[in-house]
Amino acid sequence: MSGEPGKKIVITFQDLQSKRVDEALARQMSFGMPGPAAKKEKSVWYYQSWFVLMVAGALGAFTAWAIIEPFFDDAVTFVGNVEAVDPEARHPMAPQLAGKIEVSDTSVWFIAGAKVDQGDGVLKALDPRVFKVGQVVEVTGQAATAGNELLIAYQVRIRPGDTGKYPRTDLSHSGIRTLIIGLLVFPIVAGFVGLAVGGADGFVSRAFGRGTLCALVGLGMGVGVGLVASFAGEVLYAVLGSFVHQIDKEPGLKMSTGAFLLQMMNRGLAWALTGIAMGMGQGVALRSKKLFINGLIGGVVGGLLGGLLFDPIDYALGGGEFRGEANASRAVGFTVIGLLTGLMVGIVELIARDAWLKMLAGPLAGKEFVIYKDPTSIGSAPKREVYIFKDPDVEPTHALLRRVGEGYEIEDQKTPSGTCVNGRKVSRQRLKNQDQIRIGSAILLFTIKED
């Protein structure tokens, strides 16, 4: 703006766009408005998105494990009579199987590293020659087919005092159950992780309606997309699994390093496919492209990392061997997958955000609200993106935060108590980085990521 005595004052377009105009208007509208600025405070760690989603993902996955674990048949145990012994037998399709016995019409093959208890309660390295026709044995292993023609044993206990005659054991139910549970693991875990991650922010913000909606959508997305991903994951797992067996030069309960690394990659990729379904619930429920993409990326990365760690966890809990009992490793492995999925969704959100509000004073002091919607509403109604509850001076829709060009502006919705920016009452105000917004007794610090 320029002018001299006796001359006309000329206001250019650049003058109108100057921030000094906004500041002058704000000063005129702020007369009589109290409200000192709040001190800047550090974010409360338990309100941080990455922490909330990490805990939610872990709890969701653990809940899924607790539901499906009773239906797992890791190991089959049955008692029968030894009918034939063949210590020199070698399976043509599985070189890791050496020696077999026939027990009540069931072919029992031994994996390298299998153990035997000869009745004294001590487990020793198994030698098929210790078995005699007519003995009663208790066999523990895994059914290799849906029928009862083949069982892979890793532990056998001889029962010296037992002279009973045992009928043929039907193992078909174990094979069928294993197949069904194998197909349901991915969607059930994905569904409960999606439910927990989807609803976490809403419940932490006390917006229970929004949290419930996002949780239910997360559950549906997890189960639906997870079911499709489970088929793709099973196919991928089967294909790569064949390579694992081909390169495994140390067959048995222990696995060669190359086979182990390939197995880790195999399971990681399978869970990465499932991770697609775990983090998208909130974005779909709130119709936010930004949240959808954040959840998609975070879910895939979290699923991949968690899947990569699954077999090392199993190996560590198994004492350096891969045995049939995997209930503990599944509990830990699923929980880690859920934990990492939630953590990665939160980290991606943290990295990708370009503007956010941090509550310095108010009912959720320390919490940060990512601005993902245009406009973002602030008010006392639970459906608002920034929900300020239990404050009589805050209207249901008190103010709107809008994107304007490369920046943001806030607009008061003609409320009785008004909206203040840096202690001055405004009706509409362009925001600068680190501006403090007072609505009722709540103070929000506006932050925009600077290039």
Side-chain angles (χ1 to χ4, degrees), residues 160-232:
D162 194 339
T163 59
K165 297 296 182 182
Y166 292 87
R168 174 179 177 175
T169 301
D170 184 7
L171 304 178
S172 61
H173 69 282
S174 177
I176 295 172
R177 174 181 286 192
T178 299
L179 177 63
I180 294 174
I181 292 298
L183 291 175
L184 292 180
V185 165
F186 285 128
I188 291 176
V189 174
F192 277 89
V193 172
L195 180 146
V197 171
D201 185 72
F203 282 98
V204 169
S205 300
R206 311 297 195 275
F208 299 115
R210 170 160 59 90
T212 300
L213 172 63
C214 293
L216 292 177
V217 173
L219 175 64
M221 292 290 296
V223 172
V225 179
L227 190 60
V228 175
S230 70
F231 285 99

Side-chain angles (χ1 to χ4, degrees), residues 237-260:
Y237 193 79
V239 171
L240 291 181
S242 64
F243 290 103
V244 173
H245 292 301
Q246 289 177 18
I247 69 172
D248 191 1
K249 303 304 182 183
E250 302 173 20
L253 295 177
K254 293 183 180 293
M255 186 179 291
S256 67
T257 302
F260 182 57

Side-chain angles (χ1 to χ4, degrees), residues 358-387:
K358 181 169 73 174
M359 189 173 288
L360 301 181
L364 294 173
K367 177 170 173 51
E368 295 179 346
F369 300 85
V370 176
I371 300 172
Y372 62 87
K373 190 176 181 181
D374 189 18
T376 293
S377 57
I378 306 171
S380 60
K383 292 185 178 181
R384 304 287 75 84
E385 284 74 51
V386 181
Y387 175 37

